Amino acid sequence: MRVFYDWSSKEWFSHTGATLGSNLLPLKSSDPETEQRSLSFSLTSNNHNAGPVIGILTGKGRDNTLAGNGPLFKALQKEILQNKGISFVFTSEDIKENSVSGYIYSPEDEKWIQACCPLPHLVYNRVPFRKLEQTDSFKEACHFFKELNIPFFNPGFLDKYEVCQLFMNHPPLRKYLPDTILVTDESELKNFLGKHRVIYLKPVQGAKGKGIYRLSHSDGRKLTMSGIKHSFSYRCFESFWKEWSLQLTGKAYLAQKAISPARLDGKRFDFRILAHFSKGEYRVTGIGIRQAQDQDITTHIPNGGILIPYEKVQTKEHDEFINMAVAEAGILLKKEKGFFGEFSMDAGLTHKGRYVIYELNAKPMCFDETSIELKRIQELTRLFFNMTGF
């Protein structure tokens, strides 16, 4: 079905008496003149309802412009268009009673076009900042779509410690979680460090390896606090706590036992795994390897890590662990936190060959492996169409 959007009148047209979007917006009859000056889309028809219309929920930055993963939004729009659907990007402030003021990407013109859009058949949550998910407008948007039974794809960011607690109470995954506590007071952290000798300190709501430190006993009572770029030494735990207590308790940090990692060519490596919901279960979409270089606190690319093809380390045992971990983690998330159509998992391997799960990410950034990112776009589009009945 051909559907047209007229920029000047901000109205939608078609050749047939059909509707558009989840609120069944009536499409006006088009004529050659209107079609000439309009954006044209070829959409699927489901009982004379054109779609699917996918709303990508994002947020605004400090300069009040749209924020978020632009390359992902563009790639999704291209794939959705090729499958005879359409997507638009919007913020929670853009929702009206029966319409949304959104932005449609035109691949032909290579630009974003502001449009008056119908209510979507599905909302894909890509709000880029945790603080935006705490705003009244975001919470009102969630309630708005829930009341209308519009699927909301990915409820929100994941709290690292909450995920750890879920794992602790889930036998199939419990053994893969390093010993972990929430940093709340001096004595508990001191005892935890005394027990493990080397620990990681991670912000509960952090991302991309930011704010991660390794704390270790370096010599007797002396402590070393190592970050990605800086290192600090303290004569005793008390002097360390005096300097760091406000940050560790104010921002919410967890402490986690440090593993002795397996190494490839002398440097540690981790698994970065992408997963999607498919045919009633969670399946692996792609696996990337991240290897540390100048520092081995994290393997993230922005912190100097490099890409290694999974095939270089792949074994039958790795495949079996990753498939199991993805399936179990997906089931657990769905049961306890709501429907997550996609997530990524960071996992590792000890020098003794034991698997470790570090964390889950509800809103994966783009994968640097082109093949994995391409499959991701295809999996998301497939999932959008299946969930909307198109």
Side-chain angles (χ1 to χ4, degrees), residues 14-32:
S14 76
H15 293 298
T16 59
T19 60
L20 179 67
S22 66
N23 57 323
L24 306 180
L25 176 74
L27 294 171
K28 295 189 173 183
S29 290
S30 62
D31 55 62

PDB file of all heavy atoms in Angstrom, residues 14-32:
ATOM      1  N   SER A  14      -3.562   8.229   0.995  1.00  0.00           N
ATOM      2  CA  SER A  14      -3.364   6.983   0.253  1.00  0.00           C
ATOM      3  C   SER A  14      -4.405   6.909  -0.855  1.00  0.00           C
ATOM      4  O   SER A  14      -5.321   7.727  -0.921  1.00  0.00           O
ATOM      5  CB  SER A  14      -3.496   5.761   1.171  1.00  0.00           C
ATOM      6  OG  SER A  14      -4.854   5.513   1.465  1.00  0.00           O
ATOM      7  N   HIS A  15      -4.264   5.902  -1.733  1.00  0.00           N
ATOM      8  CA  HIS A  15      -5.231   5.717  -2.820  1.00  0.00           C
ATOM      9  C   HIS A  15      -6.520   5.090  -2.321  1.00  0.00           C
ATOM     10  O   HIS A  15      -7.571   5.237  -2.924  1.00  0.00           O
ATOM     11  CB  HIS A  15      -4.634   4.815  -3.915  1.00  0.00           C
ATOM     12  CG  HIS A  15      -3.494   5.442  -4.646  1.00  0.00           C
ATOM     13  ND1 HIS A  15      -3.625   6.591  -5.374  1.00  0.00           N
ATOM     14  CD2 HIS A  15      -2.190   5.054  -4.761  1.00  0.00           C
ATOM     15  CE1 HIS A  15      -2.453   6.900  -5.906  1.00  0.00           C
ATOM     16  NE2 HIS A  15      -1.561   5.978  -5.548  1.00  0.00           N
ATOM     17  N   THR A  16      -6.414   4.328  -1.228  1.00  0.00           N
ATOM     18  CA  THR A  16      -7.583   3.577  -0.743  1.00  0.00           C
ATOM     19  C   THR A  16      -8.017   4.083   0.622  1.00  0.00           C
ATOM     20  O   THR A  16      -7.239   4.714   1.348  1.00  0.00           O
ATOM     21  CB  THR A  16      -7.246   2.079  -0.629  1.00  0.00           C
ATOM     22  OG1 THR A  16      -6.141   1.926   0.270  1.00  0.00           O
ATOM     23  CG2 THR A  16      -6.891   1.515  -1.983  1.00  0.00           C
ATOM     24  N   GLY A  17      -9.232   3.801   0.991  1.00  0.00           N
ATOM     25  CA  GLY A  17      -9.725   4.195   2.301  1.00  0.00           C
ATOM     26  C   GLY A  17      -9.158   3.302   3.376  1.00  0.00           C
ATOM     27  O   GLY A  17      -9.733   2.259   3.711  1.00  0.00           O
ATOM     28  N   ALA A  18      -7.998   3.664   3.912  1.00  0.00           N
ATOM     29  CA  ALA A  18      -7.319   2.842   4.908  1.00  0.00           C
ATOM     30  C   ALA A  18      -6.967   3.704   6.116  1.00  0.00           C
ATOM     31  O   ALA A  18      -7.252   4.901   6.158  1.00  0.00           O
ATOM     32  CB  ALA A  18      -6.063   2.212   4.302  1.00  0.00           C
ATOM     33  N   THR A  19      -6.340   3.055   7.108  1.00  0.00           N
ATOM     34  CA  THR A  19      -5.915   3.768   8.310  1.00  0.00           C
ATOM     35  C   THR A  19      -4.419   3.563   8.509  1.00  0.00           C
ATOM     36  O   THR A  19      -3.806   2.701   7.880  1.00  0.00           O
ATOM     37  CB  THR A  19      -6.684   3.272   9.544  1.00  0.00           C
ATOM     38  OG1 THR A  19      -6.413   1.861   9.712  1.00  0.00           O
ATOM     39  CG2 THR A  19      -8.180   3.505   9.390  1.00  0.00           C
ATOM     40  N   LEU A  20      -3.857   4.339   9.435  1.00  0.00           N
ATOM     41  CA  LEU A  20      -2.413   4.283   9.684  1.00  0.00           C
ATOM     42  C   LEU A  20      -2.168   4.326  11.183  1.00  0.00           C
ATOM     43  O   LEU A  20      -2.769   5.125  11.908  1.00  0.00           O
ATOM     44  CB  LEU A  20      -1.712   5.458   9.003  1.00  0.00           C
ATOM     45  CG  LEU A  20      -0.195   5.571   9.172  1.00  0.00           C
ATOM     46  CD1 LEU A  20       0.512   4.412   8.461  1.00  0.00           C
ATOM     47  CD2 LEU A  20       0.312   6.904   8.610  1.00  0.00           C
ATOM     48  N   GLY A  21      -1.259   3.477  11.659  1.00  0.00           N
ATOM     49  CA  GLY A  21      -0.873   3.507  13.061  1.00  0.00           C
ATOM     50  C   GLY A  21      -1.828   2.762  13.969  1.00  0.00           C
ATOM     51  O   GLY A  21      -2.887   2.283  13.550  1.00  0.00           O
ATOM     52  N   SER A  22      -1.461   2.674  15.249  1.00  0.00           N
ATOM     53  CA  SER A  22      -2.269   1.915  16.206  1.00  0.00           C
ATOM     54  C   SER A  22      -3.583   2.603  16.541  1.00  0.00           C
ATOM     55  O   SER A  22      -4.535   1.960  16.975  1.00  0.00           O
ATOM     56  CB  SER A  22      -1.468   1.680  17.492  1.00  0.00           C
ATOM     57  OG  SER A  22      -1.224   2.910  18.152  1.00  0.00           O
ATOM     58  N   ASN A  23      -3.639   3.938  16.356  1.00  0.00           N
ATOM     59  CA  ASN A  23      -4.891   4.645  16.631  1.00  0.00           C
ATOM     60  C   ASN A  23      -5.788   4.752  15.399  1.00  0.00           C
ATOM     61  O   ASN A  23      -6.774   5.500  15.394  1.00  0.00           O
ATOM     62  CB  ASN A  23      -4.610   6.041  17.191  1.00  0.00           C
ATOM     63  CG  ASN A  23      -3.753   6.900  16.277  1.00  0.00           C
ATOM     64  OD1 ASN A  23      -2.838   6.383  15.639  1.00  0.00           O
ATOM     65  ND2 ASN A  23      -4.019   8.191  16.210  1.00  0.00           N
ATOM     66  N   LEU A  24      -5.425   3.989  14.346  1.00  0.00           N
ATOM     67  CA  LEU A  24      -6.242   3.901  13.122  1.00  0.00           C
ATOM     68  C   LEU A  24      -6.559   5.279  12.552  1.00  0.00           C
ATOM     69  O   LEU A  24      -7.708   5.624  12.265  1.00  0.00           O
ATOM     70  CB  LEU A  24      -7.546   3.148  13.409  1.00  0.00           C
ATOM     71  CG  LEU A  24      -7.400   1.754  14.049  1.00  0.00           C
ATOM     72  CD1 LEU A  24      -8.764   1.124  14.281  1.00  0.00           C
ATOM     73  CD2 LEU A  24      -6.530   0.853  13.187  1.00  0.00           C
ATOM     74  N   LEU A  25      -5.508   6.065  12.349  1.00  0.00           N
ATOM     75  CA  LEU A  25      -5.661   7.390  11.752  1.00  0.00           C
ATOM     76  C   LEU A  25      -6.203   7.260  10.330  1.00  0.00           C
ATOM     77  O   LEU A  25      -5.579   6.597   9.486  1.00  0.00           O
ATOM     78  CB  LEU A  25      -4.301   8.107  11.718  1.00  0.00           C
ATOM     79  CG  LEU A  25      -4.253   9.470  11.037  1.00  0.00           C
ATOM     80  CD1 LEU A  25      -4.913  10.525  11.906  1.00  0.00           C
ATOM     81  CD2 LEU A  25      -2.811   9.854  10.720  1.00  0.00           C
ATOM     82  N   PRO A  26      -7.357   7.857  10.020  1.00  0.00           N
ATOM     83  CA  PRO A  26      -7.907   7.754   8.656  1.00  0.00           C
ATOM     84  C   PRO A  26      -6.984   8.434   7.640  1.00  0.00           C
ATOM     85  O   PRO A  26      -6.512   9.556   7.869  1.00  0.00           O
ATOM     86  CB  PRO A  26      -9.249   8.486   8.757  1.00  0.00           C
ATOM     87  CG  PRO A  26      -9.581   8.501  10.209  1.00  0.00           C
ATOM     88  CD  PRO A  26      -8.267   8.599  10.921  1.00  0.00           C
ATOM     89  N   LEU A  27      -6.718   7.747   6.536  1.00  0.00           N
ATOM     90  CA  LEU A  27      -5.892   8.315   5.468  1.00  0.00           C
ATOM     91  C   LEU A  27      -6.793   9.001   4.447  1.00  0.00           C
ATOM     92  O   LEU A  27      -7.774   8.405   3.979  1.00  0.00           O
ATOM     93  CB  LEU A  27      -5.075   7.215   4.783  1.00  0.00           C
ATOM     94  CG  LEU A  27      -4.000   6.551   5.658  1.00  0.00           C
ATOM     95  CD1 LEU A  27      -3.422   5.336   4.957  1.00  0.00           C
ATOM     96  CD2 LEU A  27      -2.909   7.535   6.024  1.00  0.00           C
ATOM     97  N   LYS A  28      -6.457  10.238   4.123  1.00  0.00           N
ATOM     98  CA  LYS A  28      -7.241  10.971   3.137  1.00  0.00           C
ATOM     99  C   LYS A  28      -6.913  10.482   1.732  1.00  0.00           C
ATOM    100  O   LYS A  28      -5.825   9.948   1.483  1.00  0.00           O
ATOM    101  CB  LYS A  28      -6.963  12.470   3.258  1.00  0.00           C
ATOM    102  CG  LYS A  28      -7.423  13.067   4.587  1.00  0.00           C
ATOM    103  CD  LYS A  28      -7.338  14.582   4.569  1.00  0.00           C
ATOM    104  CE  LYS A  28      -7.961  15.166   5.846  1.00  0.00           C
ATOM    105  NZ  LYS A  28      -7.959  16.645   5.815  1.00  0.00           N
ATOM    106  N   SER A  29      -7.840  10.666   0.808  1.00  0.00           N
ATOM    107  CA  SER A  29      -7.620  10.253  -0.584  1.00  0.00           C
ATOM    108  C   SER A  29      -6.602  11.175  -1.236  1.00  0.00           C
ATOM    109  O   SER A  29      -6.707  12.397  -1.145  1.00  0.00           O
ATOM    110  CB  SER A  29      -8.932  10.316  -1.373  1.00  0.00           C
ATOM    111  OG  SER A  29      -9.793   9.301  -0.940  1.00  0.00           O
ATOM    112  N   SER A  30      -5.640  10.570  -1.892  1.00  0.00           N
ATOM    113  CA  SER A  30      -4.581  11.351  -2.523  1.00  0.00           C
ATOM    114  C   SER A  30      -4.936  11.681  -3.964  1.00  0.00           C
ATOM    115  O   SER A  30      -5.806  11.066  -4.577  1.00  0.00           O
ATOM    116  CB  SER A  30      -3.266  10.575  -2.491  1.00  0.00           C
ATOM    117  OG  SER A  30      -3.386   9.375  -3.231  1.00  0.00           O
ATOM    118  N   ASP A  31      -4.259  12.696  -4.487  1.00  0.00           N
ATOM    119  CA  ASP A  31      -4.395  13.061  -5.893  1.00  0.00           C
ATOM    120  C   ASP A  31      -2.989  13.280  -6.434  1.00  0.00           C
ATOM    121  O   ASP A  31      -2.027  13.410  -5.668  1.00  0.00           O
ATOM    122  CB  ASP A  31      -5.255  14.318  -6.051  1.00  0.00           C
ATOM    123  CG  ASP A  31      -4.732  15.488  -5.238  1.00  0.00           C
ATOM    124  OD1 ASP A  31      -3.590  15.927  -5.493  1.00  0.00           O
ATOM    125  OD2 ASP A  31      -5.446  15.966  -4.329  1.00  0.00           O
ATOM    126  N   PRO A  32      -2.825  13.309  -7.765  1.00  0.00           N
ATOM    127  CA  PRO A  32      -1.484  13.435  -8.362  1.00  0.00           C
ATOM    128  C   PRO A  32      -0.688  14.634  -7.832  1.00  0.00           C
ATOM    129  O   PRO A  32       0.525  14.537  -7.622  1.00  0.00           O
ATOM    130  CB  PRO A  32      -1.771  13.574  -9.856  1.00  0.00           C
ATOM    131  CG  PRO A  32      -3.068  12.841 -10.041  1.00  0.00           C
ATOM    132  CD  PRO A  32      -3.856  13.106  -8.808  1.00  0.00           C
TER     133      PRO A  32
END
